Structure formats: C-alpha cells, structure tokens
Amino acid sequence: MNGFTDIPDSLSGRGVAGAGAVIANFGGRPWAIASYEMHTGTVGGRQMGWGVLSTSSSTWGPSAMGRVWMDVTNDGKKSWIQCGPFDTTARGARITTPAYPTSNSASRAFRVCAQVSSVSPQSDILCTPWW
C-alpha cells in the first residue's frame, strides 16, 4: 500500500523528531491522555520510519479514542501521502502506523500526528516536526 509495510504494534526503534502528548480536557481536567512519537529502525532488512501512539493507563475516559497517522513527503513537503489514521479505544494501549523506507534524499521527510477524541472532549491535532 503506497510503499508502506505493516509492522507489529510491539515494534520499537530509535525515537527521532521529538515526541508529544495529546490531551482531551473535560470540565477543565484531563479526561484522556496519549503520547505519540516517531521511530526509525530496521524492518525486513531496510531502514524505515513509523509512528507510535500510547494511551494512558490511568487517565483514559469512557469512549475515548486515540488516533495516530504518519505523513510522508517525497517532494520536499510540497505534498504528502497520509498513512492512517489508526485508532484505539483501549486504556494503556500501544499502536503503530505501518513503516515507510527512509532515504538520504532531502526530498523525503516524515511526521507523525495524533489526536484524542470522544463524543464531547477532543484534543487538538498535534504533529512531530518533519524529519
């Protein structure tokens, strides 16, 4: 699918391009929290990048949904393809996006974006910097 390779949710690599947290507030209090980050590593003998989302095991409201996707550009950020979103409603879950090959070309870049939502509270969409 567009050069992406499915990977297990348990796969970890080296964290790159920073990480962040998405928080949905309800009544002025955190209602659902998830962290997101970009990883790189070897998948099937190739260097690849992918996104990771981890939902909180303690602050995760009923009907909360964590969402993660990865954008890849091959033309210096003029346009990009989006892989995802991939969703989870589970407390304390870890999910990944499929992986995409890295490149020495300055034209290729990746970023990982995430959001937490439900029927009412919803976080902003946040993304790592392009890497």
Side-chain angles (χ1 to χ4, degrees), residues 51-82:
V52 176
L53 179 87
S54 300
T55 62
S56 174
S57 57
S58 59
T59 307
W60 195 253
S63 76
M65 180 176 64
R67 174 170 279 176
V68 65
W69 62 93
M70 185 167 72
D71 296 331
V72 178
T73 181
N74 287 299
D75 62 6
K77 303 176 220 159
K78 293 178 190 147
S79 65
W80 56 86
I81 53 176
Q82 178 179 310

mmCIF file of all heavy atoms in Angstrom, residues 51-82:
data_model
loop_
_atom_site.group_PDB
_atom_site.id
_atom_site.type_symbol
_atom_site.label_atom_id
_atom_site.label_comp_id
_atom_site.label_asym_id
_atom_site.label_seq_id
_atom_site.Cartn_x
_atom_site.Cartn_y
_atom_site.Cartn_z
ATOM 1 N N GLY A 51 5.155 5.620 13.119
ATOM 2 C CA GLY A 51 4.584 6.339 14.247
ATOM 3 C C GLY A 51 4.110 5.396 15.339
ATOM 4 O O GLY A 51 3.727 4.262 15.061
ATOM 5 N N VAL A 52 4.144 5.901 16.580
ATOM 6 C CA VAL A 52 3.700 5.138 17.745
ATOM 7 C C VAL A 52 2.749 6.019 18.566
ATOM 8 O O VAL A 52 3.010 7.205 18.764
ATOM 9 C CB VAL A 52 4.893 4.730 18.639
ATOM 10 C CG1 VAL A 52 4.422 4.014 19.892
ATOM 11 C CG2 VAL A 52 5.897 3.888 17.874
ATOM 12 N N LEU A 53 1.651 5.432 19.034
ATOM 13 C CA LEU A 53 0.726 6.095 19.954
ATOM 14 C C LEU A 53 0.541 5.195 21.158
ATOM 15 O O LEU A 53 0.291 3.996 21.004
ATOM 16 C CB LEU A 53 -0.630 6.342 19.296
ATOM 17 C CG LEU A 53 -1.661 7.016 20.215
ATOM 18 C CD1 LEU A 53 -1.505 8.533 20.134
ATOM 19 C CD2 LEU A 53 -3.066 6.620 19.855
ATOM 20 N N SER A 54 0.670 5.772 22.349
ATOM 21 C CA SER A 54 0.441 5.025 23.595
ATOM 22 C C SER A 54 -0.612 5.764 24.405
ATOM 23 O O SER A 54 -0.459 6.954 24.690
ATOM 24 C CB SER A 54 1.734 4.918 24.409
ATOM 25 O OG SER A 54 2.730 4.247 23.668
ATOM 26 N N THR A 55 -1.686 5.057 24.770
ATOM 27 C CA THR A 55 -2.745 5.673 25.559
ATOM 28 C C THR A 55 -2.445 5.498 27.047
ATOM 29 O O THR A 55 -1.801 4.535 27.449
ATOM 30 C CB THR A 55 -4.125 5.066 25.229
ATOM 31 O OG1 THR A 55 -4.117 3.677 25.548
ATOM 32 C CG2 THR A 55 -4.470 5.263 23.765
ATOM 33 N N SER A 56 -2.923 6.439 27.834
ATOM 34 C CA SER A 56 -2.686 6.415 29.276
ATOM 35 C C SER A 56 -3.394 5.226 29.930
ATOM 36 O O SER A 56 -4.519 4.883 29.564
ATOM 37 C CB SER A 56 -3.191 7.712 29.898
ATOM 38 O OG SER A 56 -3.113 7.665 31.303
ATOM 39 N N SER A 57 -2.729 4.635 30.891
ATOM 40 C CA SER A 57 -3.390 3.559 31.638
ATOM 41 C C SER A 57 -4.174 4.118 32.824
ATOM 42 O O SER A 57 -5.028 3.434 33.375
ATOM 43 C CB SER A 57 -2.360 2.528 32.119
ATOM 44 O OG SER A 57 -1.383 3.155 32.906
ATOM 45 N N SER A 58 -3.921 5.388 33.178
ATOM 46 C CA SER A 58 -4.635 5.955 34.323
ATOM 47 C C SER A 58 -5.645 7.036 33.932
ATOM 48 O O SER A 58 -6.696 7.148 34.552
ATOM 49 C CB SER A 58 -3.632 6.528 35.329
ATOM 50 O OG SER A 58 -2.844 7.527 34.705
ATOM 51 N N THR A 59 -5.343 7.844 32.927
ATOM 52 C CA THR A 59 -6.245 8.913 32.514
ATOM 53 C C THR A 59 -6.780 8.589 31.129
ATOM 54 O O THR A 59 -6.221 9.002 30.111
ATOM 55 C CB THR A 59 -5.515 10.276 32.516
ATOM 56 O OG1 THR A 59 -4.911 10.473 33.793
ATOM 57 C CG2 THR A 59 -6.481 11.413 32.241
ATOM 58 N N TRP A 60 -7.843 7.794 31.094
ATOM 59 C CA TRP A 60 -8.457 7.379 29.831
ATOM 60 C C TRP A 60 -9.947 7.223 30.059
ATOM 61 O O TRP A 60 -10.416 6.226 30.595
ATOM 62 C CB TRP A 60 -7.830 6.080 29.338
ATOM 63 C CG TRP A 60 -8.142 5.812 27.911
ATOM 64 C CD1 TRP A 60 -8.998 4.868 27.414
ATOM 65 C CD2 TRP A 60 -7.647 6.517 26.779
ATOM 66 N NE1 TRP A 60 -9.055 4.947 26.044
ATOM 67 C CE2 TRP A 60 -8.220 5.948 25.627
ATOM 68 C CE3 TRP A 60 -6.766 7.586 26.618
ATOM 69 C CZ2 TRP A 60 -7.944 6.407 24.340
ATOM 70 C CZ3 TRP A 60 -6.491 8.041 25.349
ATOM 71 C CH2 TRP A 60 -7.071 7.452 24.232
ATOM 72 N N GLY A 61 -10.725 8.227 29.657
ATOM 73 C CA GLY A 61 -12.162 8.246 29.908
ATOM 74 C C GLY A 61 -12.930 7.241 29.074
ATOM 75 O O GLY A 61 -12.446 6.744 28.056
ATOM 76 N N PRO A 62 -14.149 6.949 29.511
ATOM 77 C CA PRO A 62 -15.003 6.048 28.735
ATOM 78 C C PRO A 62 -15.265 6.642 27.353
ATOM 79 O O PRO A 62 -15.436 7.841 27.215
ATOM 80 C CB PRO A 62 -16.286 5.954 29.550
ATOM 81 C CG PRO A 62 -16.139 6.864 30.702
ATOM 82 C CD PRO A 62 -14.789 7.480 30.687
ATOM 83 N N SER A 63 -15.266 5.825 26.354
ATOM 84 C CA SER A 63 -15.479 6.164 24.941
ATOM 85 C C SER A 63 -14.373 7.027 24.336
ATOM 86 O O SER A 63 -14.540 7.581 23.261
ATOM 87 C CB SER A 63 -16.849 6.822 24.709
ATOM 88 O OG SER A 63 -16.852 8.167 25.147
ATOM 89 N N ALA A 64 -13.235 7.136 25.016
ATOM 90 C CA ALA A 64 -12.103 7.879 24.442
ATOM 91 C C ALA A 64 -11.503 7.083 23.289
ATOM 92 O O ALA A 64 -11.503 5.852 23.297
ATOM 93 C CB ALA A 64 -11.039 8.134 25.507
ATOM 94 N N MET A 65 -11.005 7.808 22.304
ATOM 95 C CA MET A 65 -10.361 7.165 21.163
ATOM 96 C C MET A 65 -9.053 7.885 20.861
ATOM 97 O O MET A 65 -9.031 9.113 20.706
ATOM 98 C CB MET A 65 -11.251 7.213 19.919
ATOM 99 C CG MET A 65 -10.610 6.549 18.715
ATOM 100 S SD MET A 65 -11.690 6.482 17.275
ATOM 101 C CE MET A 65 -11.910 8.208 16.917
ATOM 102 N N GLY A 66 -7.961 7.123 20.798
ATOM 103 C CA GLY A 66 -6.669 7.658 20.382
ATOM 104 C C GLY A 66 -6.465 7.381 18.913
ATOM 105 O O GLY A 66 -6.817 6.303 18.423
ATOM 106 N N ARG A 67 -5.906 8.341 18.213
ATOM 107 C CA ARG A 67 -5.742 8.237 16.758
ATOM 108 C C ARG A 67 -4.323 8.686 16.392
ATOM 109 O O ARG A 67 -3.851 9.702 16.892
ATOM 110 C CB ARG A 67 -6.782 9.144 16.117
ATOM 111 C CG ARG A 67 -6.700 9.288 14.645
ATOM 112 C CD ARG A 67 -7.907 10.005 14.128
ATOM 113 N NE ARG A 67 -8.951 8.989 14.033
ATOM 114 C CZ ARG A 67 -10.197 9.237 13.695
ATOM 115 N NH1 ARG A 67 -10.586 10.465 13.456
ATOM 116 N NH2 ARG A 67 -11.064 8.263 13.612
ATOM 117 N N VAL A 68 -3.671 7.908 15.503
ATOM 118 C CA VAL A 68 -2.317 8.242 15.051
ATOM 119 C C VAL A 68 -2.212 8.009 13.548
ATOM 120 O O VAL A 68 -2.873 7.111 13.009
ATOM 121 C CB VAL A 68 -1.255 7.410 15.821
ATOM 122 C CG1 VAL A 68 -1.373 5.924 15.533
ATOM 123 C CG2 VAL A 68 0.158 7.907 15.533
ATOM 124 N N TRP A 69 -1.431 8.824 12.868
ATOM 125 C CA TRP A 69 -1.149 8.615 11.452
ATOM 126 C C TRP A 69 0.233 9.169 11.141
ATOM 127 O O TRP A 69 0.825 9.887 11.947
ATOM 128 C CB TRP A 69 -2.208 9.251 10.563
ATOM 129 C CG TRP A 69 -2.355 10.733 10.652
ATOM 130 C CD1 TRP A 69 -1.744 11.682 9.873
ATOM 131 C CD2 TRP A 69 -3.180 11.460 11.574
ATOM 132 N NE1 TRP A 69 -2.133 12.933 10.256
ATOM 133 C CE2 TRP A 69 -3.017 12.828 11.285
ATOM 134 C CE3 TRP A 69 -4.038 11.085 12.602
ATOM 135 C CZ2 TRP A 69 -3.680 13.832 12.004
ATOM 136 C CZ3 TRP A 69 -4.692 12.066 13.319
ATOM 137 C CH2 TRP A 69 -4.516 13.430 13.017
ATOM 138 N N MET A 70 0.746 8.813 9.967
ATOM 139 C CA MET A 70 2.045 9.299 9.540
ATOM 140 C C MET A 70 1.915 9.918 8.152
ATOM 141 O O MET A 70 1.260 9.354 7.281
ATOM 142 C CB MET A 70 3.080 8.172 9.513
ATOM 143 C CG MET A 70 4.474 8.683 9.176
ATOM 144 S SD MET A 70 5.796 7.501 9.492
ATOM 145 C CE MET A 70 5.525 6.331 8.186
ATOM 146 N N ASP A 71 2.512 11.088 7.991
ATOM 147 C CA ASP A 71 2.591 11.751 6.697
ATOM 148 C C ASP A 71 3.993 11.557 6.137
ATOM 149 O O ASP A 71 4.981 11.654 6.879
ATOM 150 C CB ASP A 71 2.326 13.256 6.837
ATOM 151 C CG ASP A 71 0.922 13.588 7.305
ATOM 152 O OD1 ASP A 71 -0.002 12.802 7.019
ATOM 153 O OD2 ASP A 71 0.752 14.638 7.954
ATOM 154 N N VAL A 72 4.087 11.291 4.842
ATOM 155 C CA VAL A 72 5.372 11.134 4.161
ATOM 156 C C VAL A 72 5.364 12.012 2.921
ATOM 157 O O VAL A 72 4.410 11.981 2.140
ATOM 158 C CB VAL A 72 5.617 9.664 3.736
ATOM 159 C CG1 VAL A 72 6.933 9.533 2.988
ATOM 160 C CG2 VAL A 72 5.600 8.733 4.940
ATOM 161 N N THR A 73 6.416 12.808 2.771
ATOM 162 C CA THR A 73 6.575 13.608 1.561
ATOM 163 C C THR A 73 7.797 13.121 0.798
ATOM 164 O O THR A 73 8.793 12.723 1.409
ATOM 165 C CB THR A 73 6.699 15.115 1.876
ATOM 166 O OG1 THR A 73 6.834 15.839 0.651
ATOM 167 C CG2 THR A 73 7.877 15.421 2.785
ATOM 168 N N ASN A 74 7.687 13.124 -0.495
ATOM 169 C CA ASN A 74 8.810 12.779 -1.360
ATOM 170 C C ASN A 74 9.192 13.948 -2.265
ATOM 171 O O ASN A 74 9.993 13.791 -3.177
ATOM 172 C CB ASN A 74 8.460 11.546 -2.215
ATOM 173 C CG ASN A 74 8.455 10.289 -1.381
ATOM 174 O OD1 ASN A 74 9.468 9.906 -0.809
ATOM 175 N ND2 ASN A 74 7.307 9.646 -1.279
ATOM 176 N N ASP A 75 8.622 15.127 -2.005
ATOM 177 C CA ASP A 75 8.911 16.303 -2.827
ATOM 178 C C ASP A 75 9.192 17.542 -1.977
ATOM 179 O O ASP A 75 8.796 18.648 -2.314
ATOM 180 C CB ASP A 75 7.774 16.563 -3.814
ATOM 181 C CG ASP A 75 6.442 16.867 -3.137
ATOM 182 O OD1 ASP A 75 6.396 17.000 -1.886
ATOM 183 O OD2 ASP A 75 5.429 16.964 -3.852
ATOM 184 N N GLY A 76 9.887 17.337 -0.852
ATOM 185 C CA GLY A 76 10.272 18.475 -0.020
ATOM 186 C C GLY A 76 9.120 19.174 0.664
ATOM 187 O O GLY A 76 9.146 20.385 0.850
ATOM 188 N N LYS A 77 8.079 18.447 1.041
ATOM 189 C CA LYS A 77 6.932 18.949 1.802
ATOM 190 C C LYS A 77 5.950 19.773 0.978
ATOM 191 O O LYS A 77 5.105 20.462 1.529
ATOM 192 C CB LYS A 77 7.373 19.725 3.041
ATOM 193 C CG LYS A 77 8.238 18.943 3.983
ATOM 194 C CD LYS A 77 8.718 19.804 5.128
ATOM 195 C CE LYS A 77 10.145 19.461 5.421
ATOM 196 N NZ LYS A 77 10.860 20.476 6.128
ATOM 197 N N LYS A 78 6.047 19.698 -0.355
ATOM 198 C CA LYS A 78 5.046 20.367 -1.192
ATOM 199 C C LYS A 78 3.731 19.609 -1.142
ATOM 200 O O LYS A 78 2.656 20.193 -1.193
ATOM 201 C CB LYS A 78 5.550 20.469 -2.633
ATOM 202 C CG LYS A 78 6.727 21.389 -2.788
ATOM 203 C CD LYS A 78 7.203 21.424 -4.212
ATOM 204 C CE LYS A 78 8.528 22.169 -4.275
ATOM 205 N NZ LYS A 78 9.390 21.640 -5.305
ATOM 206 N N SER A 79 3.810 18.289 -1.057
ATOM 207 C CA SER A 79 2.629 17.430 -0.911
ATOM 208 C C SER A 79 3.058 16.213 -0.109
ATOM 209 O O SER A 79 4.257 15.976 0.066
ATOM 210 C CB SER A 79 2.092 17.005 -2.284
ATOM 211 O OG SER A 79 3.036 16.192 -2.946
ATOM 212 N N TRP A 80 2.104 15.470 0.393
ATOM 213 C CA TRP A 80 2.440 14.272 1.160
ATOM 214 C C TRP A 80 1.321 13.257 1.061
ATOM 215 O O TRP A 80 0.191 13.579 0.716
ATOM 216 C CB TRP A 80 2.772 14.587 2.615
ATOM 217 C CG TRP A 80 1.720 15.335 3.369
ATOM 218 C CD1 TRP A 80 0.641 14.815 4.023
ATOM 219 C CD2 TRP A 80 1.649 16.739 3.553
ATOM 220 N NE1 TRP A 80 -0.099 15.816 4.606
ATOM 221 C CE2 TRP A 80 0.504 17.012 4.321
ATOM 222 C CE3 TRP A 80 2.443 17.810 3.140
ATOM 223 C CZ2 TRP A 80 0.142 18.293 4.691
ATOM 224 C CZ3 TRP A 80 2.069 19.091 3.505
ATOM 225 C CH2 TRP A 80 0.936 19.323 4.270
ATOM 226 N N ILE A 81 1.686 12.020 1.381
ATOM 227 C CA ILE A 81 0.700 10.952 1.490
ATOM 228 C C ILE A 81 0.498 10.685 2.968
ATOM 229 O O ILE A 81 1.432 10.795 3.766
ATOM 230 C CB ILE A 81 1.127 9.674 0.726
ATOM 231 C CG1 ILE A 81 2.521 9.215 1.139
ATOM 232 C CG2 ILE A 81 1.043 9.881 -0.763
ATOM 233 C CD1 ILE A 81 2.957 7.901 0.502
ATOM 234 N N GLN A 82 -0.726 10.375 3.329
ATOM 235 C CA GLN A 82 -1.052 10.098 4.727
ATOM 236 C C GLN A 82 -1.350 8.615 4.869
ATOM 237 O O GLN A 82 -2.137 8.063 4.100
ATOM 238 C CB GLN A 82 -2.264 10.911 5.161
ATOM 239 C CG GLN A 82 -2.676 10.635 6.591
ATOM 240 C CD GLN A 82 -3.860 11.476 7.014
ATOM 241 O OE1 GLN A 82 -3.861 12.684 6.825
ATOM 242 N NE2 GLN A 82 -4.866 10.833 7.578
#
